[in-house]
Amino acid sequence: MELSSRYVAGEIEDKWYTHWKESGYFKSTPDDREPYSIVIPPPNVTGILHMGHMLNNTVQDVLARKARMDGKNVCWVPGTDHASIATEAKVVRWLREEKGLTKSAIGREKYMEYAWEWTHKYGGIILKQLQRLGASCDWDRTSFTMDEVRSKQVYRAFVDLYNRGKLYRDWRMVHWDPRARTVLSNEEVLYKEENTFLYHVKYHLVDDPSQSITIATTRPETILGDTAIAVHPEDARYKDLVGKLVKVPLIGREIPIIADDYVDREFGSGALKITPAHDANDYEIGKRHDLEVVDVITDDGHMSEAAEHFVGEEIMTARKHMIEYLESSEQLVRKEPLVHSVGRSERTDAVVEPRLSLQWYVKMDTLAKPALESVMSDEIEFFPKNQKNTYRHWMTNIRDWCISRQLWWGHRIPAYYYEDEVFVAETPEEALAAARKKTGIATLTMADLRQDEDVLDTWFSSWLWPFSVFDGMDEGGEIDYYYPTSVLVTAWDIIFLWVARMAMAGFEWKGEKPFKHVYFTGMVRDPLGRKMSKSLGNSPDALELLDNYGADGVRFGILSSSPAGGDLLFDEKLCEQGRNFCNKIWNALRLVKGWETSDQPSSDADKIAFAWIEEKLQTVIEGIESDFQEYRLSESLTKLYSFIWTDFCSWYLEMVKPAHGDTMSVETYNNTTALFSKLMQLLHPFMPFVTEEVWHQLSEKDGDCMMSSYPKKASLGSNVLEDVEYLKEIIAKVRDVRNKNGLKVRELLPLKMLKSARTQSLLSQKGWSDLLQSTAFLEGIQPIKEASKDVSDVAFVVGTDKFYITISKEVDVEEELKTVEADLEYQRGFVKSIEKKLSNERFVNNAPEAVVDKERKKLADGQKRIAMLEETLVRLKG
């Protein structure tokens, strides 16, 4: 079959992905092989592929394919997350825009029907997109955090924690998202510096309105909820005012001036307005002083009936009107610009409101201990290691986890109420049975029980993911084979939201870590270092990248710019480089397939070339194995790219390529195709499609590249690496002379070489002279005893040996002088640096003798090169 002139990614990707799936290569069932299990960080069911997904899943696929080729039983479990807040927001918008419906109008049961309809229709698209990337997941195992198997385990975990006293319900000050109308965890609140104003407001004393006390606030609308003014008990300025009453502006409520150690005397006026319903610190002060809690803001961010003024107005509108009143009543002393940290909802970007609310909490202190110890002792090993510090900070400052959310989409909390009693059970039937038993009322029905309206935090299902995907709450079955999983690949920004919680859940229910290794990918940023976002318009369309550059090109681009654990500065040019790499490999295939063979024996030159490339490849394989152990995937890919592009294509194929009209020995051809196939195996985890196609095109084989054994380092008898690298330097210098003098690539040139022990020894051996002549296109090689004085000879130095190329055209002496002088300047700098090192007595006395001897040899060689270059300089100037 004639090969196309260019690599056609789309056709080849479709062909091979379909073949792999139909062959069952992605599937896994327990057997006697070593398991290698990975669980995908489940993307939002509503999501579409973006750069973060492509980075994370490319890394996972590289690891999965490498492990598969290492003979392990790979089980990569895909799935999606129900993403309560994000999905509910999309469903609500869909109902409003397409059906003219609202949640409140249709009720919970009907809303959930629509939500499931929407999820089945639009959900899971991202998993199909991951297949285009080449993800080799076991798709038969696709899980969803709200499917039946996962939901049963979620309810079971909740009930178990409740029964063991590790879960409770309490009134607390929480972070409230007024747009989503739900509580948020601390980790779901993002803080950033914003410009606002600090308003200084005076409150008049009740018994003497001519006197006042001034406070400062950034939220004047909450003044309507004030129930005290606090000062420090040792603040002499306010000693006589403690216990007196002041009037709240506009509303006229009389509130006390109290003393509390919390107040900072040095900040502002030293007086603090206390609004227990709308500030966590104020709430604690309010509890200490038994203050009234006046909630003036509704759950959707409007002024409540309790505010008495501006009722129904949105917060910012009410703030504007309150400022107008304070100005008109001359109670606004002044306002000053202020830059301060504002918390916003991670999902909706709404300004987060502190709010007193009744919520469910998990006690975290006892859960955190084994999860922290396992990471600090490297039982769970982090890559890169510096993430341990971040993890320790989170885990040693841990707070109880608020797990209830005021939403409808999600796992509804399995708590059922009858009068003042609560019954927590995995099913409604179990709750009813418990209620009948405790109350003694046998006639109770489900209609008598009221289930909790809230749903569980999305992360409450996600923290069970490493074992819930294997239905692993119980012992036995697949969980015993696949758990703990081999590695988790995730972003560092959810180290506490997800990684730490999975560690806790693993030890809590399985008594063991959930994963052996955690590899943290960096953040995907643009070339300027900015985080990619829709608002900045700097996030490329993932599917468009796949269309333009092919899956292998994109995988190359995203991996080659991703140092282990570091942020990724993504540039689309890297994908173009990846596509070019595919074409380079394809062109090498076309070259090799175009060679004619014969039964002639391999030449000595071909044998040397093959021994060299095989020997050099062993170093690359050794480096790759080391890189994989430390998750340095970018470095591995760079090694392979450099070896295939430069050593294999640019050097080896040129060395063995038969002259025009000649044939190649079968032995050399077979060696070349076997080597090419091995390179495709090494590259396969990174770029699976082009490697599979080329691997098959090279020769008839049983099986597929994907399921072949990953090459291991071999011990070779040859020792030609250093000598061939020396020959390559000579060839490179000859090519440089051609370029500078406008000589044709294949024009045969005579080479003179100043006799030395090395050149005589090397070129006297069979094949070496032939290899040099054929690759450098030399007319002949002439050994000379003395330096040439012929001005038509262009000199160059390799190591400590001097060579000359005789050219027929007039030598550009000025240009040659510049070249030699530049080389001489470099060599003098090199020698100076070595002399400086050897003049350091501490180095000479303390460094190993072999190291010092090596530096002395460098110095001697450098001095010899300088002498040769100075001689050339004299000749050219003459």
Side-chain angles (χ1 to χ4, degrees):
M1 184 179 71
E2 186 178 345
L3 294 173
S4 61
S5 60
R6 293 180 67 80
Y7 175 68
V8 184
E11 295 175 10
I12 289 169
E13 289 167 11
D14 290 343
K15 177 180 77 174
W16 285 116
Y17 199 85
T18 300
H19 171 73
W20 294 330
K21 278 185 72 177
E22 290 177 351
S23 299
Y25 293 159
F26 302 161
K27 294 181 181 180
S28 175
T29 54
D31 58 27
D32 57 358
R33 289 176 293 167
E34 177 187 346
Y36 189 91
S37 50
I38 315 178
V39 293
I40 195 172
N44 289 0
V45 68
T46 61
I48 57 172
L49 199 63
H50 61 59
M51 297 305 296
H53 295 136
M54 292 217 291
L55 168 62
N56 187 283
N57 286 281
T58 297
V59 169
Q60 288 178 84
D61 193 51
V62 169
L63 296 174
R65 288 177 182 274
K66 170 67 163 58
R68 204 176 276 117
M69 294 177 77
D70 284 339
K72 296 174 184 176
N73 186 353
V74 174
C75 182
W76 181 15
V77 183
T80 51
D81 189 282
H82 64 277
S84 292
I85 296 176
T87 304
E88 180 139 328
K90 290 187 178 182
V91 173
V92 166
R93 186 167 63 246
W94 173 64
L95 287 172
R96 183 180 66 246
E97 294 176 356
E98 294 195 18
K99 298 183 181 294
L101 300 173
T102 63
K103 273 177 67 178
S104 56
I106 61 177
R108 185 171 197 142
E109 187 176 343
K110 192 65 179 174
Y111 169 82
M112 288 299 290
E113 289 179 14
Y114 279 122
W116 278 110
E117 178 189 334
W118 190 90
T119 302
H120 291 315
K121 185 175 181 180
Y122 297 105
I125 291 173
I126 190 169
L127 298 182
K128 292 183 175 62
Q129 294 172 336
L130 285 176
Q131 295 185 28
R132 279 204 60 191
L133 191 64
S136 57
C137 301
D138 185 346
W139 298 107
D140 292 342
R141 292 179 176 272
T142 301
S143 302
F144 177 47
T145 50
M146 269 180 68
D147 65 27
E148 185 178 353
V149 173
R150 262 46 64 183
S151 294
K152 282 182 179 178
Q153 293 173 88
V154 167
Y155 292 132
R156 184 169 171 184
F158 184 96
V159 173
D160 182 56
L161 288 174
Y162 181 82
N163 289 340
R164 291 190 289 124
K166 296 187 177 184
L167 193 150
Y168 63 94
R169 197 178 187 219
D170 193 15
W171 286 94
R172 287 193 179 183
M173 189 63 67
V174 299
H175 298 299
W176 187 265
D177 182 337
R179 192 167 298 159
R181 299 174 75 173
T182 182
V183 66
L184 301 173
S185 68
N186 296 321
E187 295 73 36
E188 292 169 311
V189 180
L190 304 179
Y191 292 91
K192 59 181 178 180
E193 297 294 306
E194 296 187 13
N195 295 315
T196 186
F197 290 97
L198 186 64
Y199 300 91
H200 296 260
V201 181
K202 59 184 177 182
Y203 291 55
H204 294 291
L205 268 64
V206 171
D207 60 0
D208 184 0
S210 65
Q211 290 190 59
S212 63
I213 187 169
T214 300
I215 60 87
T217 180
T218 58
R219 305 183 64 205
E221 71 281 0
T222 63
I223 286 173
L224 301 176
D226 288 354
T227 54
I229 299 288
V231 297
H232 195 277
E234 297 176 6
D235 194 332
R237 293 173 294 176
Y238 303 119
K239 188 175 181 182
D240 295 336
L241 295 181
V242 174
K244 293 191 175 185
L245 300 175
V246 296
K247 279 191 174 183
V248 176
L250 182 60
I251 203 168
R253 181 188 304 120
E254 296 182 1
I255 61 174
I257 298 175
I258 61 174
D260 195 281
D261 290 332
Y262 172 79
V263 180
D264 182 357
R265 285 174 286 181
E266 306 303 320
F267 181 77
S269 65
L272 184 69
K273 71 188 263 324
I274 305 301
T275 321
H278 300 292
D279 184 273
N281 296 315
D282 290 7
Y283 177 67
E284 293 302 321
I285 293 172
K287 284 202 296 185
R288 287 197 290 273
H289 296 271
D290 197 25
L291 299 177
E292 182 185 2
V293 177
V294 181
D295 188 350
V296 298
I297 298 176
T298 63
D299 65 359
D300 63 349
H302 293 75
M303 302 307 288
S304 71
E305 294 286 344
E308 298 185 29
H309 296 269
F310 320 128
V311 175
E313 288 186 0
E314 195 270 332
I315 289 173
M316 296 306 293
T317 304
R319 181 177 300 178
K320 177 185 174 185
H321 290 153
M322 188 66 184
I323 294 166
E324 290 172 352
Y325 168 78
L326 293 171
E327 288 175 331
S328 65
S329 64
E330 299 184 346
Q331 287 177 276
L332 181 64
V333 178
R334 70 180 188 277
K335 72 173 184 177
E336 56 185 276
L338 177 71
V339 177
H340 76 144
S341 183
V342 175
R344 289 185 176 271
S345 169
E346 180 186 31
R347 292 295 182 190
T348 67
D349 199 43
V351 174
V352 171
E353 292 288 332
R355 183 177 178 82
L356 187 62
S357 183
L358 180 61
Q359 303 289 342
W360 287 91
Y361 294 88
V362 174
K363 293 180 181 178
M364 300 296 276
D365 49 358
T366 56
L367 273 71
K369 188 177 179 182
L372 174 59
E373 289 175 353
S374 65
V375 169
M376 301 319 296
S377 67
D378 286 336
E379 181 185 358
I380 297 175
E381 200 169 353
F382 278 8
F383 298 86
K385 305 295 184 189
N386 60 10
Q387 291 298 339
K388 290 171 69 172
N389 298 326
T390 305
Y391 186 86
R392 179 174 55 226
H393 172 75
W394 276 109
M395 297 295 274
T396 52
N397 295 278
I398 199 164
R399 287 177 281 188
D400 286 355
W401 176 16
C402 178
I403 58 169
S404 45
R405 297 291 181 269
Q406 288 62 55
L407 302 164
W408 286 354
W409 175 250
H411 297 98
R412 191 170 179 179
I413 290 177
Y416 303 81
Y417 304 94
Y418 177 74
E419 295 181 346
D420 294 332
E421 298 285 348
V422 58
F423 303 96
V424 173
E426 293 181 39
T427 66
E429 293 75 22
E430 290 176 7
L432 180 60
R436 286 172 175 171
K437 183 177 180 180
K438 185 162 186 178
T439 63
I441 305 173
T443 56
L444 280 180
T445 67
M446 285 306 304
D448 297 313
L449 300 184
R450 176 179 56 85
Q451 186 176 356
D452 200 302
E453 292 290 326
D454 293 347
V455 299
L456 290 165
D457 178 11
T458 296
W459 296 105
F460 194 86
S461 52
S462 299
W463 76 327
L464 310 177
W465 192 246
F467 58 82
S468 71
V469 296
F470 300 113
D471 196 9
M473 284 293 270
D474 291 314
E475 300 299 320
E478 289 191 334
I479 189 68
D480 293 344
Y481 179 75
Y482 291 117
Y483 188 91
T485 61
S486 303
V487 61
L488 173 74
V489 180
T490 187
W492 55 261
D493 59 339
I494 53 173
I495 191 170
F496 183 74
L497 278 169
W498 196 41
V499 178
R501 288 172 179 166
M502 283 190 289
M504 291 183 231
F507 284 106
E508 185 68 12
W509 283 289
K510 304 309 298 175
E512 192 175 0
K513 62 193 175 190
F515 23 69
K516 298 164 189 172
H517 294 165
V518 181
Y519 172 67
F520 292 99
T521 62
M523 194 73 70
V524 182
R525 300 184 183 276
D526 69 11
L528 299 177
R530 301 175 300 175
K531 184 176 179 180
M532 288 188 169
S533 67
K534 290 180 182 178
S535 59
L536 288 174
N538 62 349
S539 182
D541 184 305
L543 297 178
E544 201 170 290
L545 287 176
L546 291 169
D547 289 338
N548 291 341
Y549 303 107
D552 288 330
V554 172
R555 288 167 68 114
F556 176 94
I558 206 160
L559 281 174
S560 60
S561 57
S562 177
D567 282 355
L568 181 157
L569 297 181
F570 180 77
D571 190 332
E572 199 168 318
K573 290 178 182 176
L574 293 166
C575 295
E576 185 178 357
Q577 185 182 353
R579 183 180 63 188
N580 292 344
F581 188 31
C582 289
N583 280 319
K584 182 76 171 179
I585 294 168
W586 191 254
N587 287 335
L589 170 69
R590 294 178 70 229
L591 175 68
V592 172
K593 294 287 283 184
W595 289 340
E596 297 290 333
T597 61
S598 64
D599 291 334
Q600 64 187 358
S602 292
S603 67
D604 292 324
D606 286 354
K607 289 176 181 178
I608 294 168
F610 184 70
W612 161 74
I613 194 84
E614 274 280 284
E615 190 177 338
K616 190 162 190 179
L617 180 58
Q618 303 316 307
T619 305
V620 174
I621 292 173
E622 184 178 26
I624 289 171
E625 284 299 331
S626 174
D627 288 339
F628 265 96
Q629 288 172 16
E630 295 295 323
Y631 296 91
R632 296 190 298 259
L633 306 187
S634 177
E635 288 85 342
S636 274
L637 180 56
T638 301
K639 285 183 177 75
L640 283 167
Y641 173 80
S642 175
F643 186 86
I644 292 171
W645 190 291
T646 305
D647 294 303
F648 180 67
C649 294
S650 299
W651 283 104
Y652 173 75
L653 293 183
E654 289 299 314
M655 288 175 178
V656 300
K657 182 171 66 176
H660 183 68
D662 287 352
T663 59
M664 172 182 280
S665 75
V666 171
E667 180 188 8
T668 299
Y669 183 82
N670 290 342
N671 284 342
T672 302
T673 55
L675 171 66
F676 204 162
S677 294
K678 189 183 294 185
L679 294 178
M680 294 303 94
Q681 289 171 291
L682 289 165
L683 186 62
H684 178 82
F686 303 93
M687 303 173 72
F689 295 106
V690 67
T691 52
E692 187 73 78
E693 179 69 16
V694 171
W695 195 75
H696 280 278
Q697 289 284 356
L698 283 166
S699 60
E700 290 291 329
K701 298 182 179 78
D702 295 327
D704 294 305
C705 184
M706 176 183 167
M707 301 305 292
S708 64
S709 295
Y710 202 75
K712 303 295 182 187
K713 184 187 176 186
S715 297
L716 303 175
S718 60
N719 187 25
V720 299
L721 186 60
E722 188 178 331
D723 287 338
V724 174
E725 293 299 325
Y726 172 75
L727 239 62
K728 282 171 60 187
E729 283 191 66
I730 299 172
I731 295 164
K733 292 280 189 178
V734 172
R735 289 173 178 173
D736 190 45
V737 170
R738 289 181 189 276
N739 291 337
K740 287 180 179 176
N741 291 279
L743 303 175
K744 294 178 181 178
V745 173
R746 295 176 181 273
E747 181 182 341
L748 298 180
L749 300 174
L751 175 72
K752 297 174 184 176
M753 65 178 188
L754 203 56
K755 279 187 177 182
S756 71
R758 179 168 195 178
T759 56
Q760 279 194 294
S761 171
L762 188 63
L763 297 179
S764 64
Q765 297 176 48
K766 290 174 63 177
W768 289 92
S769 179
D770 292 340
L771 181 60
L772 177 58
Q773 281 190 239
S774 62
T775 310
F777 294 102
L778 299 176
E779 185 179 71
I781 302 173
Q782 179 190 353
I784 56 175
K785 295 180 179 179
E786 296 179 354
S788 171
K789 294 184 170 42
D790 190 339
V791 76
S792 64
D793 284 350
V794 179
F796 60 85
V797 176
V798 175
T800 58
D801 296 317
K802 195 166 188 179
F803 301 84
Y804 303 88
I805 289 288
T806 304
I807 61 175
S808 54
K809 61 177 284 186
E810 186 177 344
V811 175
D812 187 335
V813 175
E814 289 300 317
E815 192 63 34
E816 278 299 305
L817 278 170
K818 286 180 185 177
T819 302
V820 174
E821 285 171 346
D823 200 0
L824 189 57
E825 184 180 355
Y826 170 80
Q827 293 297 337
R828 283 170 175 162
F830 173 76
V831 165
K832 190 174 181 180
S833 68
I834 300 296
E835 286 175 336
K836 185 177 180 181
K837 187 181 285 188
L838 288 171
S839 67
N840 184 333
E841 288 187 16
R842 180 182 289 181
F843 170 75
V844 174
N845 294 332
N846 296 323
E849 187 178 346
V851 173
V852 177
D853 288 344
K854 188 174 182 180
E855 292 301 313
R856 286 175 176 148
K857 186 176 186 311
K858 284 183 186 177
L859 177 63
D861 289 347
Q863 290 169 336
K864 190 173 180 181
R865 283 193 291 272
I866 288 173
M868 289 178 173
L869 289 167
E870 286 176 339
E871 181 274 324
T872 301
L873 209 59
V874 169
R875 179 172 63 85
L876 288 171
K877 286 180 177 178

